[in-house]
Structures are given as structure tokens and as C-alpha cells.
């Protein structure tokens, strides 16, 4: 996972934990290695992330199952036993406590990184959405100006040029220039409409809602 150059020459660098976890092998449900390149639109990549995320859950299930078996055996075992030293048990509990504390610390650090990353992503998406809305409004304004004002002025010019004049050469040149202007105006209107088509499709409102909802739940 490499750094990404964003607007205003700001270079985004993923957090250290993100880089470390991203280097883990990515496998599919058949345990075959797949491409680990970041691609949230790829179903294979999302599937590999789900498998990596299920490893802690699987470890927890196995641990609880072993603990259940141990408790069942201890519950059914009523034979008196001699007292033994619990030093090993104390050290084991101490190591597990340290491990759990370290895991919680890493989880809190990762949670803060995720929160900061989501804030940065939302801010970047908001800036992109503002740029798209601005471009959409500008193209609409240009199209409206060309459709209403410019074409009306060219119609008035055409009426003026249609009046009889003595110099027919100048009149033909003016009519030819007017025809070119009308052709260019039509092409400009068509270009504005072509620009508006993809801009109207781009809408980040739903994505914003999902991000806010996910962050609220998390």
C-alpha cells in the first residue's frame, strides 16, 4: 500500500497498522492467494478482507470451546486431588492479562486511526462533491446563457442582416460569420449537455449517509 497524492499536493500516507495488516497474505474461500492491491470495488478483495477479519473470531470460538471442555471435565471430576503449586497458573494468567492489555491498546490505537481515516475520507469526498456541484452549476449557467441570451441575440442579428443593403459582399460575410457563430453555439450547448450527463450521475449523498451511519455504529 503506497502513498497517494491528493489535491493541493497533499500526500496521503496510510497508518502504520494499516500498512502492516495490508501485508498479510490475502486468500479467498478456497485458501488460494489473491491480489492484495487495494480495490474496494473488487468482490474478491472484499472476500479476502472478510476472511482476514474472521480469523480473530475463529480464534475466540476455539478458545471458548477449549475452555468449555475444560470446565466440563473439571465439573464432572469429583476425585480429591493433592494440592499443587499454582505458580505456573499465576504466570499464565499474568501473561494472558498482558496480552489482553496489549491487544486492547492496539485496538484503541487502530480505532483512532480508523476514525481519523474516515474523517479524512469524508472531508475529501465533501471537497470532491463541492467541486462536482460547482462544475454542474457552471455548465447549467453556461448552457442557459447560450440557449436564451446568445441565441436570442443571434436571431436579432439575423433579422438585421436580412434587411436589404447595398454591399452584398459584406452582407454575405456577416451571414457566414453568423452561421459559424450559430454552429459554434450549438456545439457549445451540446458539449455542456455532454458534461452534465456524468455530473448528474455522481452523487455522494448516499455514501455520506452510509459513512456517517457506520461511524455512529462503530
Amino acid at each position: 500500500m503506497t502513498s497517494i497524492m491528493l489535491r493541493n499536493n497533499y500526500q496521503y500516507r496510510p497508518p502504520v497498522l494499516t500498512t502492516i495488516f495490508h501485508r498479510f497474505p490475502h486468500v479467498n474461500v478456497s485458501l488460494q492467494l489473491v491480489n492484495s492491491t487495494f480495490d474496494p470495488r473488487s468482490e474478491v478483495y472484499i472476500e479476502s478482507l472478510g476472511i482476514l477479519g474472521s480469523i480473530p473470531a475463529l480464534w475466540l470460538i476455539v478458545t471458548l470451546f477449549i475452555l468449555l471442555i475444560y470446565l466440563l471435565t473439571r465439573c464432572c471430576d469429583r476425585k480429591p486431588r493433592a494440592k499443587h503449586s499454582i505458580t505456573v497458573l499465576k504466570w499464565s494468567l499474568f501473561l494472558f492479562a498482558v496480552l489482553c492489555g496489549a491487544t486492547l491498546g492496539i485496538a484503541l490505537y487502530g480505532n483512532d486511526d480508523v476514525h481519523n481515516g474516515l474523517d479524512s475520507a469524508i472531508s475529501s469526498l465533501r471537497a470532491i462533491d463541492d467541486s462536482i456541484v460547482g462544475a454542474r452549476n457552471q455548465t447549467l449557467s453556461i448552457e442557459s446563457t447560450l440557449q436564451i441570451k446568445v441565441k436570442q441575440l443571434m436571431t436579432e442579428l439575423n433579422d438585421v442582416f436580412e434587411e436589404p443593403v447595398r454591399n452584398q459582399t459584406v452582407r454575405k460575410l456577416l451571414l457566414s460569420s453568423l452561421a459559424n457563430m450559430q454552429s459554434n453555439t450549438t456545439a457549445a450547448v451540446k458539449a455542456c449537455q455532454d458534461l452534465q450527463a456524468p455530473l448528474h450521475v455522481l452523487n455522494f449523498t448516499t455514501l455520506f449517509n452510509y459513512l456517517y451511519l457506520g461511524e455512529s455504529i462503530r
Side-chain angles (χ1 to χ4, degrees):
M1 183 174 290
T2 58
S3 59
I4 302 174
M5 186 67 68
L6 300 176
R7 294 179 60 188
N8 299 327
N9 294 326
Y10 172 74
Q11 191 174 17
Y12 171 76
R13 295 183 180 276
V16 178
L17 283 179
T18 304
T19 304
I20 293 175
F21 288 129
H22 184 74
R23 292 175 180 173
F24 286 178
H26 290 62
V27 296
N28 55 15
V29 292
S30 302
L31 299 182
Q32 296 178 348
L33 291 176
V34 297
N35 188 7
S36 61
T37 303
F38 179 75
D39 186 7
R41 294 172 295 183
S42 173
E43 295 182 359
V44 177
Y45 181 77
I46 298 298
E47 178 183 299
S48 65
L49 290 184
I51 293 175
L52 288 176
S54 63
I55 292 177
L58 179 62
W59 178 260
L60 176 62
I61 292 173
V62 172
T63 304
L64 292 177
F65 182 72
I66 295 174
L67 179 62
L68 177 62
I69 294 176
Y70 172 76
L71 293 177
L72 289 175
T73 55
R74 295 297 297 171
C75 177
C76 300
D77 186 8
R78 299 182 179 275
K79 295 180 180 180
R81 297 180 181 275
K83 294 184 178 180
H84 298 284
S85 175
I86 59 173
T87 304
V88 177
L89 178 60
K90 289 180 179 179
W91 278 105
S92 299
L93 293 176
F94 173 75
L95 291 177
F96 274 111
V98 172
L99 181 61
C100 291
T103 304
L104 287 176
I106 294 174
L108 291 175
Y109 178 77
N111 180 71
D112 183 66
D113 276 350
V114 171
H115 177 71
N116 294 334
L118 282 176
D119 284 344
S120 177
I122 291 174
S123 299
S124 300
L125 287 175
R126 183 72 66 184
I128 294 173
D129 187 61
D130 292 341
S131 300
I132 292 174
V133 172
R136 186 188 305 156
N137 293 335
Q138 289 179 3
T139 53
L140 286 173
S141 176
I142 293 172
E143 182 185 1
S144 176
T145 302
L146 293 174
Q147 290 277 24
I148 299 175
K149 296 182 179 180
V150 175
K151 285 192 174 182
Q152 181 180 358
L153 291 175
M154 287 190 295
T155 301
E156 295 176 358
L157 286 175
N158 186 63
D159 294 338
V160 173
F161 295 158
E162 288 294 336
E163 295 179 359
V165 293
R166 294 181 180 179
N167 195 334
Q168 294 296 323
T169 303
V170 175
R171 180 173 177 273
K172 289 181 180 180
L173 289 175
L174 292 175
L175 289 174
S176 177
S177 300
L178 181 61
N180 290 332
M181 291 174 59
Q182 291 175 340
S183 177
N184 292 334
T185 302
T186 303
V189 171
K190 181 65 169 57
C192 289
Q193 293 174 350
D194 292 340
L195 286 174
Q196 291 172 22
L199 291 177
H200 281 293
V201 175
L202 294 175
N203 189 355
F204 293 101
T205 303
T206 304
L207 181 58
F208 286 145
N209 294 334
Y210 278 123
L211 287 176
Y212 283 127
L213 178 61
E215 182 64 8
S216 300
I217 295 174
R218 191 181 65 81

